[in-house]
């Protein structure tokens, strides 16, 4: 037995801290993040529980929870944390880790994952967001083709719907940013 | 004052009235916005939710382009502002990250520029500067100023107090409106959850509409295209699902400021919203 090797617990804490720039071990479980969270009513793990499970090294439970996907990134938790932990940044890091480790988002979380993926595909392709195409593609892939069709119609009537996107001339540069980030992240650390 | 202008991806579509009114009202106040050529999307929540490095790099390219113009950058959208300002903060705080991101973007960002939200830019002009240009005070109009999340959180980039900001109130008061104290000015509207899981966001939108309504507001003013879309477009759905009867127009602060500065309502996109704005606009005419 190698006693000097970091435990799963130490490894997870170090990985999350390194990626988020935070020190999750500072959390003393006051629960203020959870008290202010506007979406906690739909979470399976409360924000303070997410942090506690990281402290305990319970990677699987953390990366497979719904909460990390339903988090709205409003950062109320961050603003109110008496230990100055940027929980919103931790949530970002957990979503990134889940994606890289192939932990699938389920249920409502899956919709968020799909939405983000479509959004980024548009940016990679055009350099900017093509609102209409992104929403249509998301609707098809999430199995609700007519989601918000009334919004589309109302926007059309108000001249707010565009059937094309103003491409940026730097599109190739933007696509390269995606590729280079992927290359950097392919070497990112993992824990058991 | 010249500023590098970052319109953001909603500028021609869902947030068009914000872009129109920001440029027009800004012009009346002596602000010259020069659009950053070839700007790219900041990645918004999809970017930082997928990869923090990707989010920083997408923002950094825009920062470098603005820096080459020798100007500070301003963005109307609260989300663009927060992404660009946070990236700048992180890149200045960590030299290693800056080197890495410069390699990724292919543009060298040195850190010699600032990122400012349009709200903060307008507020920094001062009450006297604005008051001297008000030709049509917004008398009889009671407004609830709504900031949402991204202008006031996190601390590194907040433009005002995260619990009780006053910047928009000061601008609206100078424009002649009556500003109300209310409870939900920095509560979350549900952001893109409203697009991918609308049933989760509706209670959040409903809470904001209820609080604004109880405060006696004639309308809500905001400074974010997605907040605007959620509060304006989704109001009908809130009414249908929850059996309420809200009829609260939602404006960008630049639109109402534009009216006070004497700009034509049609040019400010005041009639392009989902909730009918005419009854409220009659209060000030």
């Amino acid at each position: 037995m190698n006693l000097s090797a970091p435990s799963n617990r130490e490894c997870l804490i170090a990985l999350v801290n390194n990626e988020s720039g935070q020190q999750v071990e500072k959390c003393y479980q006051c629960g203020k993040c959870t008290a202010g969270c506007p979406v906690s009513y739909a979470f399976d793990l409360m924000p303070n529980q997410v942090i506690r499970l990281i402290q305990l090294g319970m990677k699987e439970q953390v990366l497979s929870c719904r909460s990390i996907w339903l988090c709205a990134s409003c950062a109320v938790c961050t603003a109110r944390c008496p230990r100055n932990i940027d929980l919103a940044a931790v949530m970002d890091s957990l979503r990134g880790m889940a994606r890289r480790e192939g932990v699938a988002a389920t249920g409502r979380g899956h919709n968020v994952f799909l939405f983000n993926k479509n959004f980024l595909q548009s940016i990679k392709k055009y350099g900017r967001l093509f609102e209409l195409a992104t929403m249509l593609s998301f609707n098809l892939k999430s199995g609700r083709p007519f989601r918000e069709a009334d919004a589309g119609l109302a926007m059309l009537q108000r001249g707010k719907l565009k059937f094309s996107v103003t491409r940026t001339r730097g599109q190739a540069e933007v696509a390269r940013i995606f590729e280079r980030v992927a290359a950097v992240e392919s070497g990112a650390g993992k824990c058991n | 004052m010249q500023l590098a202008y970052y319109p953001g991806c909603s500028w021609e579509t869902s947030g068009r009235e914000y872009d129109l009114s920001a440029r027009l009202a800004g012009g009346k106040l002596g602000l010259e916005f020069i659009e950053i050529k070839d700007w790219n999307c900041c990645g918004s929540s999809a970017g930082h939710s997928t990869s923090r490095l990707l989010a920083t790099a997408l923002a950094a390219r825009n920062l470098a382009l603005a820096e080459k113009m020798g100007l500070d950058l301003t963005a109307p959208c609260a989300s663009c502002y927060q992404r660009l300002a946070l990236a700048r903060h992180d890149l200045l705080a960590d030299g290693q990250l800056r080197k890495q991101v410069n390699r990724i973007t292919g543009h060298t960002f040195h850190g010699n520029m600032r990122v400012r939200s349009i709200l903060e830019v307008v507020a920094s002009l001062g009450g006297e500067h604005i008051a001297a240009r008000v030709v049509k005070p917004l008398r009889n109009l009671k407004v609830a100023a709504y900031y949402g999340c991204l202008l006031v959180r996190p601390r590194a980039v907040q433009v005002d107090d995260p619990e009780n900001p006053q910047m928009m109130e000061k601008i609206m008061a100078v424009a002649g409106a009556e500003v109300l104290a209310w409870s939900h000015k920095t509560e979350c509207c549900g952001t893109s959850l409203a697009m991918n899981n609308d049933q989760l966001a509706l209670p959040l939108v409903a809470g904001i509409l209820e609080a604004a309504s109880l405060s006696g507001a004639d309308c809500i003013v905001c400074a974010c295209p997605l907040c605007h879309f959620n509060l304006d477009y989704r109001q009908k759905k809130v009414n249908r699902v929850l059996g309420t009867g809200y009829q609260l127009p939602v404006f960008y602060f630049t639109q109402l400021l534009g009216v006070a500065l004497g700009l034509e309502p049609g040019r400010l996109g005041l009639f392009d919203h989902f909730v009918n704005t005419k009854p409220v606009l009659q209060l000030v005419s």
Side-chain angles (χ1 to χ4, degrees):
Chain A
M1 192 177 178
N2 181 359
L3 291 176
S4 63
S7 64
N8 289 350
R9 180 175 159 271
E10 285 162 339
C11 181
L12 183 63
I13 293 173
L15 203 59
V16 172
N17 284 358
N18 181 45
E19 173 128 357
S20 64
Q22 305 305 306
Q23 282 179 274
V24 291
E25 59 274 37
K26 286 198 304 189
C27 169
Y28 51 34
Q29 291 292 305
C30 71
K32 200 162 183 170
C33 47
T34 298
C37 176
V39 214
S40 63
Y41 78 93
F43 281 8
D44 47 357
L45 288 177
M46 294 301 113
N48 63 302
Q49 292 177 317
V50 169
I51 301 295
R52 186 68 188 129
L53 290 187
I54 300 169
Q55 290 176 336
L56 295 172
M58 298 170 78
K59 190 183 85 172
E60 242 171 76
Q61 286 86 339
V62 172
L63 295 189
S64 62
C65 79
R66 203 165 54 220
S67 312
I68 61 174
W69 295 102
L70 300 186
C71 161
S73 301
C74 74
V76 164
C77 47
T78 297
R80 294 182 184 168
C81 177
R83 303 293 283 157
N84 276 328
I85 298 171
D86 185 347
L87 255 82
V90 171
M91 290 293 202
D92 271 350
S93 306
L94 295 173
R95 284 184 283 260
M97 286 166 63
R99 177 181 56 85
R100 294 199 302 273
E101 303 216 2
V103 182
T106 54
R108 287 170 168 173
H110 183 64
N111 275 357
V112 177
F113 173 79
L114 267 184
F115 180 83
N116 290 346
K117 196 173 158 190
N118 268 297
F119 194 108
L120 291 179
Q121 276 168 351
S122 173
I123 302 173
K124 191 175 176 184
K125 194 168 171 188
Y126 306 112
R128 293 182 189 168
L129 176 69
F130 187 174
E131 272 185 1
L132 177 63
T134 302
M135 280 316 291
L136 287 177
S137 159
F138 168 69
N139 284 358
L140 285 176
K141 287 178 191 162
S142 61
R144 275 180 60 193
F146 301 109
R147 181 196 320 253
E148 315 237 83
D150 55 335
L153 191 63
M155 285 176 71
L156 183 66
Q157 287 162 345
R158 289 164 177 79
K160 293 191 199 185
L161 209 59
K162 276 195 70 184
F163 294 92
S164 63
V165 61
T166 309
R167 289 167 192 249
T168 162
R169 281 200 305 280
Q171 183 275 330
E173 278 181 32
V174 176
R176 230 167 13 245
I177 289 175
F178 277 83
E179 283 153 21
R180 287 175 179 162
V181 167
V184 170
E185 289 187 339
S186 67
K190 282 186 183 179
C191 298
N192 290 319
Chain B
M1 189 195 326
Q2 283 193 336
L3 290 151
Y5 184 71
Y6 181 85
C9 295
S10 67
W11 73 306
E12 292 178 306
T13 50
S14 55
R16 199 184 55 169
E17 310 91 281
Y18 198 12
D19 175 72
L20 287 175
S21 59
R23 291 182 198 246
L24 289 169
K28 282 268 180 192
L29 293 170
L31 298 170
E32 193 184 340
F33 299 139
I34 304 168
E35 189 171 321
I36 300 169
K37 270 186 202 154
D38 250 1
W39 57 272
N40 60 273
C41 174
C42 70
S44 193
S45 57
H48 69 79
S49 291
T50 301
S51 157
R52 286 169 59 77
L53 182 62
L54 176 67
T56 305
L58 286 173
R61 182 176 175 274
N62 298 304
L63 300 179
L65 294 178
E67 189 176 59
K68 278 176 198 150
M69 296 164 72
L71 297 171
D72 285 342
L73 179 155
T74 190
C77 168
S79 180
C80 300
Y81 161 73
Q82 194 224 32
R83 292 329 309 168
L84 297 169
L86 263 181
R88 176 186 176 274
H89 171 268
D90 291 351
L91 292 168
L92 287 184
D94 183 344
Q96 284 298 107
L97 178 69
R98 192 159 76 240
K99 271 187 206 154
Q100 182 185 38
V101 168
N102 285 345
R103 274 198 302 274
I104 290 171
T105 61
H107 291 268
T108 304
F109 175 60
H110 303 279
N112 300 323
M113 51 79 79
R114 290 185 300 164
V115 178
R116 304 176 71 194
S117 89
I118 280 193
L119 178 62
E120 190 249 324
V121 169
V122 170
S124 72
L125 295 171
E128 279 179 27
H129 179 95
I130 301 170
R133 288 156 182 84
V134 169
V135 295
K136 194 176 171 195
L138 307 172
R139 287 197 194 98
N140 309 318
L141 192 66
K142 293 198 271 296
V143 305
Y146 175 72
Y147 295 77
C149 307
L150 306 176
L151 288 170
V152 293
R153 292 186 288 265
R155 194 169 301 130
V157 300
Q158 70 188 41
V159 302
D160 202 345
D161 185 273
E163 306 288 352
N164 189 18
Q166 292 294 322
M167 223 170 231
M168 232 184 301
E169 278 84 347
K170 283 178 188 157
I171 296 169
M172 285 296 106
V174 171
E178 183 185 337
V179 292
L180 302 166
W182 68 304
S183 55
H184 278 50
K185 53 170 82 172
T186 64
E187 292 291 318
C188 179
C189 72
T191 167
S192 56
L193 274 182
M195 246 78 87
N196 51 50
N197 284 287
D198 61 343
Q199 67 279 37
L200 292 185
L202 276 191
L204 308 190
V205 175
I208 294 162
L209 296 173
E210 182 187 23
S213 185
L214 286 174
S215 75
D218 299 314
C219 62
I220 296 174
V221 276
C222 70
C224 172
L226 190 48
C227 296
H228 185 277
F229 192 76
N230 283 345
L231 296 178
D232 182 31
Y233 163 67
R234 282 177 218 290
Q235 212 169 117
K236 197 161 106 183
K237 188 152 187 189
V238 165
N239 287 339
R240 193 172 72 229
V241 174
L242 302 175
T244 48
Y246 301 120
Q247 276 296 325
L248 270 175
V250 187
F251 298 106
Y252 294 105
F253 82 98
T254 43
Q255 287 183 298
L256 289 188
L257 179 61
V259 172
L261 295 170
L263 290 159
E264 183 74 29
R267 290 177 67 204
L268 294 163
L270 284 162
F271 305 115
D272 296 341
H273 298 321
F274 295 99
V275 175
N276 185 7
T277 54
K278 281 180 188 149
V280 163
L281 290 172
Q282 272 164 7
L283 292 174
V284 294
S285 64

